[in-house]
Amino acid sequence: MVNRLARVTFRLYDTASRGVRDFVPLQPGKASLYVCGLTVQSEPHVGHVRSGVNFDVLQRWLRHCGYDVTFIRNTTDIDDKILAKSAEQGRPWYNLAYAMHRELTAAYAALNVAPPTYEPAATGHVPEMVELIGELIERGHAYPAPDGSGDVYFDVRSWKQYGELTHQGLDDMEAAEDADPRGKRDPRDFALWKGRKDSEPETASWPSPWGRGRPGWHIECSAMAGKYLGPAFDIHGGGLDLRFPHHENEQAQSRAAGRPFASYWMHNAWITTAGEKMSKSLGNSLTIPAVLERYRGIELRYYLVSAHYRSHVEFSFEALDEAAVGFRRIESFLERVSSHEVVEPVEAPPAFVDAMDDDLGTPAAMAVLHDTVREGNRKLQSGEDVGAEHGAVVAMLDVLGLDPADPAWGPAKGSDEGLSNAVDALVRGLLEERAEARAGKDWARADAIRDRIKSAGVEIEDTPEGPKWSLTDGR
């Protein structure tokens, strides 16, 4: 990739100002990015990973533009939903959160989403949250509930700018739903700290000046962003559904504490099915492992990247089929010219750069990519040199995270060793789940996992050294 000096031509849509703005970083040559990661309560689906893919493209483009990027993507590993789901499943909340975090990490890896600079977890930063809440109380923007619950609330009426991110008036907002309203001064006040309830496990609480409890969702991100990026940083991103109340509350509590917080706000749109946001609650989600049984990770990433990050995508397997065919045309070109030498450094075409500089215009960038492939195929047919086209295609794919030669995608297609390693990793993951179930005397779950492995043609043998597996039917 060509090294360039950081430039100010990149433009992005800022949802706070509702317009496209030139990106002007707080520190020359550096870019700081915070993205709200997932609450690890269940298996990640296609809608979940879109945000990860979209902001992976953003950080790749910023680096391509010459910026030194610090990218933080957090994990929410304690909240009401995690506690509820773990209770339903009869397992410790931290066991569920850990297992689902591993699933999410595997999903990101399967789609070549590069790890962030840091990936902080909420439970590892409770002291920073308690400190921030204390600052808000001292400044008169928060208060402990007088009902003895141990809850602490943000006083929305104390902050005149509340609602500025989403351009709403306070009286037009609905009451917050994250805590019992009895201890609130205003029904729209939101929880910064939640006092422990007798129905909740002791392990899901931490000591604080207001009694044992746990942090509210919104304070988590403000504290983690502040720890790793400082009081002011460049870009805050996340899904469109986080604008209100999550991001509105983040901004209010951070600025009320005297922290300038984010200069730009970016939000990716939803993946929908039948016109509705893809979500577990709607029962219309598609988990990543299920989709990857039918498509390669690189094909699913191509499908997600092809749409503009601010455009809603109506998911269908027919559309994913078309995307897979489109990507295979690019792969076919690369395979045909693999013997041609690519002279480095190679720059992406100006039209591609213009498209990406215009609010990450990936649809237009993809059009440039396919035009370049068509020109390369024409030259191959006529016997002309295709080194320039080859290099340009590789440069564009690198920015989009779609280069088939990237080691992150694993061994090359057709590699027996790669297939064996992939099968071994998958089976060992299931064996770890089975071991956890057996340790917890959940024999039904352990047997179900064993049957699932066996139905895939894998035989399990329990030995004194631990379980061993082999392929059946002579494979």
Side-chain angles (χ1 to χ4, degrees), residues 81-417:
K81 292 179 180 179
I82 291 175
L83 293 179
K85 285 184 179 292
S86 62
E88 290 172 7
Q89 298 175 20
R91 60 197 296 194
W93 63 271
Y94 48 82
N95 176 279
L96 172 65
Y98 178 70
M100 293 304 101
H101 186 213
R102 289 181 60 187
E103 294 272 359
L104 177 61
T105 299
Y108 280 149
L111 272 68
N112 194 16
V113 174
T117 310
Y118 305 110
E119 190 175 22
T123 54
H125 298 79
V126 175
E128 290 84 356
M129 299 169 199
V130 170
E131 180 181 357
L132 178 54
I133 295 169
E135 291 176 15
L136 288 167
I137 293 175
E138 289 177 7
R139 286 171 170 261
H141 296 297
Y143 59 93
D147 60 0
S149 63
D151 295 341
V152 179
Y153 295 106
F154 183 84
D155 185 349
V156 295
R157 291 196 178 276
S158 74
W159 183 246
K160 301 300 183 184
Q161 292 78 29
Y162 188 71
E164 64 181 345
L165 176 64
T166 51
H167 303 275
Q168 298 184 82
L170 180 59
D171 292 333
D172 297 326
M173 299 179 187
E174 294 182 357
E177 299 178 352
D178 58 358
D180 192 316
R182 289 176 298 176
K184 296 183 179 183
R185 296 174 181 171
D186 186 287
R188 284 152 291 225
D189 291 350
F190 56 89
L192 302 173
W193 187 260
K194 298 184 176 185
R196 180 180 174 270
K197 300 178 178 62
D198 292 338
S199 60
E200 297 176 349
E202 181 76 15
T203 54
S205 65
W206 289 260
S208 83
W210 318 285
R212 290 196 68 87
R214 56 188 170 86
W217 177 31
H218 315 302
I219 201 71
E220 294 176 353
C221 288
S222 288
M224 288 185 282
K227 180 177 178 67
Y228 294 101
L229 297 178
F233 57 95
D234 294 318
I235 302 172
H236 194 316
L240 185 62
D241 51 327
L242 298 181
R243 287 179 66 240
F244 187 86
H246 186 47
H247 288 166
E248 185 71 70
N249 292 349
E250 273 189 70
Q251 176 169 283
Q253 66 198 7
S254 298
R255 293 186 174 176
R259 305 179 181 187
F261 212 54
S263 299
Y264 302 82
W265 289 86
M266 296 180 69
H267 295 92
N268 64 278
W270 298 336
I271 300 286
T272 60
T273 54
E276 297 185 87
K277 174 193 169 189
M278 185 179 291
S279 68
K280 285 286 181 183
S281 60
L282 290 175
N284 59 4
S285 59
L286 292 162
T287 64
I288 298 303
V291 175
L292 294 182
E293 288 179 3
R294 298 178 58 173
Y295 304 90
R296 292 178 296 156
I298 199 168
E299 293 168 344
L300 178 55
R301 181 181 175 107
Y302 176 89
Y303 171 71
L304 294 173
V305 169
S306 295
H308 193 272
Y309 77 92
R310 288 194 290 115
S311 299
H312 289 300
V313 174
E314 177 68 16
F315 182 86
S316 71
F317 283 111
E318 292 77 13
L320 192 44
D321 285 336
E322 293 178 8
V325 171
F327 181 74
R328 287 167 196 160
R329 293 193 188 101
I330 299 171
E331 273 188 313
S332 176
F333 169 72
L334 292 175
E335 289 168 2
R336 293 177 69 192
V337 299
S338 59
S339 60
H340 291 254
E341 182 178 353
V342 179
V343 180
E344 296 290 352
V346 177
E347 181 60 280
F352 179 89
V353 173
D354 290 344
M356 294 298 291
D357 276 344
D358 186 12
D359 194 30
L360 295 182
T362 53
M366 285 289 195
V368 177
L369 173 60
H370 281 283
D371 285 345
T372 307
V373 168
R374 279 191 287 271
E375 176 62 13
N377 283 327
R378 184 196 67 76
K379 285 189 174 183
L380 280 173
Q381 269 191 319
S382 61
E384 300 175 57
D385 180 74
V386 294
E389 287 73 22
H390 187 188
V393 167
V394 170
M396 289 185 278
L397 291 175
D398 182 66
V399 166
L400 300 172
L402 290 168
D403 184 359
D406 187 334
W409 293 115
K413 184 169 56 177
S415 167
D416 290 339
E417 180 183 358

